[in-house]
Every structure is written in structure tokens, then in C-alpha cells.
Amino acid sequence: MNKVSLNGVITYSFNSRSDLIELASQKKKSLIAINAEKILNATEQSRSLINKNIGYTDGVGAVWALKRKGFKETIKIPGCELWLDIITKFHESRSFYLVGAKEEVIVATIEKLQREYPGINILGYRNGYVQSIDEQEKLIETITKLKPDIVFVAMGSPKQELIMQEMQEHHSAIYQGLGGSFDVYVGNVERAPKSWVKNNLEWAYRLIKQPRRIKRQIHLVRFAFNVIIGRY
């Protein structure tokens, strides 16, 4: 499987989502979404976390950088869609545990999954407000005891990556960090229209909807400059 170091962040080039899911099933690692911001602002800690696992091209900037490196078939894999691809493939054969979002959101997520995937084996769930060491230890104890095959953690970066790594040290499974994907799934947050997503303009749609994101989007310009001059 092809992979490239971008500012020290190892990012895999996938030609299909099924290739990523197959690798995840074999390796039992954490799936970590990589975008321009994560590459640009990489730290020793974040590089270590990502490079132990599977960093995939969730952002258009990461896709563009890999294509510039010669991996022309690299595709964008939105994390908010990937977790549902994983459920679609494994809901009849694997077990799941979900962590993240507000209590009402995670409950609505579980109810919707049970409607859409009858018979899905969800071993447990909890909200994403893990606010103390004691709560984190109890969550890890629960994961270790139940031994789910797949764990989804929607807490935002870098918190979700850090807690997934702790879980991974106690129980080997497929883990995926999801950010705000549960809110998207239950309809609390609107994604960009399909035409915007298809044309890699989801970032622009978010910027229109949330102008305060302009400070984050400036990272794309800095990132593009670094890729063009060959720094990454």
C-alpha cells in the first residue's frame, strides 16, 4: 500500500474506500482523517499518533499533495461517510461500540442505526463528555471487557486520537475518529450539497455557512504554497 510522508505525517494513498476498509480489517489500527490543517500544524505528538496508525485522505488538500507526489489515483475519503461504509460492510458480522457527541445525539444515532441496520450488534455507547481521568479509565475498562470489533469515537481532534490510542493499548480493534459525524448523521448539522462535495468544494460551502472559519481556511493557502515549493 502506497504511503507518503507530508511534513512528517505518513498519509496513505487509497484508490478506493474498500481498499482502506480491507487494510483496516487486517491491521486493526485507528483510522485517522488527514487534511491540510493536520499536516501543516503537525507536532511530534500528533505525528507519533498518526504514524502508528492509518492516516487517510479526508481533506482535498491531502489528496492534492499526494497527487503532486505522483499518486494520481488517490481519492478523497470523507470520514463522515467512511464509518457508514464500515457499518454497511460489517453490521451482520462484527460488533460495535460508539463514543461521542451529546447524550441526546448519541442516543438518536443508536436508534437510527438500529432502524437502518436491523440486527446490528451494538455492545454499548456513551456520550463524548469524558471529562476526568476516572471517566476515561472506566471507558477503557468497558472497552476491554466488552471487546468490540469496531469502535467509533466522535470527540474532535486531538482528543479522539489520544483516547483511541489509550484504548488500542488495552484492546485491539478497528478504531475511527469521527469528529462531528454523529450530528451529521442524525441531521443536526447540514453537509454541503452533493454537487459541492463531488467537486471538492465542501470547504468553501462550510466557509459560506460559517465565515468565522476563514482563519482555518487560510491554512489551505499556506499548505498549498509549501506543497508547490516542494517543502512537503
Side-chain angles (χ1 to χ4, degrees), residues 3 18 77 166 192 232:
K3 53 188 177 181
S18 61
I77 305 177
E166 288 285 334
Y232 298 160

Side-chain angles (χ1 to χ4, degrees), residues 105-135:
V105 173
I106 188 67
V107 169
T109 297
I110 297 300
E111 291 174 348
K112 186 175 180 180
L113 287 172
Q114 290 172 332
R115 290 195 305 270
E116 295 188 340
Y117 301 92
I120 185 172
N121 185 12
I122 299 174
L123 299 180
Y125 65 91
R126 66 148 294 155
N127 64 52
Y129 293 85
V130 182
Q131 298 177 322
S132 67
I133 293 176
D134 183 57
E135 285 184 310

Side-chain angles (χ1 to χ4, degrees), residues 132-170:
S132 67
I133 293 176
D134 183 57
E135 285 184 310
Q136 180 169 312
E137 289 177 348
K138 286 181 179 178
L139 173 58
I140 292 171
E141 286 175 7
T142 298
I143 295 295
T144 305
K145 178 181 178 181
L146 295 179
K147 294 180 170 50
D149 298 308
I150 300 167
V151 181
F152 296 118
V153 183
M155 301 172 76
S157 294
K159 188 173 183 178
Q160 63 191 19
E161 283 81 19
L162 291 168
I163 201 166
M164 287 192 300
Q165 190 61 36
E166 288 285 334
M167 292 176 181
Q168 190 75 262
E169 291 174 2
H170 291 81

Side-chain angles (χ1 to χ4, degrees), residues 72-85:
K72 302 298 184 183
E73 302 302 315
T74 302
I75 63 169
K76 182 176 183 289
I77 305 177
C80 61
E81 298 175 6
L82 177 62
W83 77 287
L84 294 174
D85 293 335

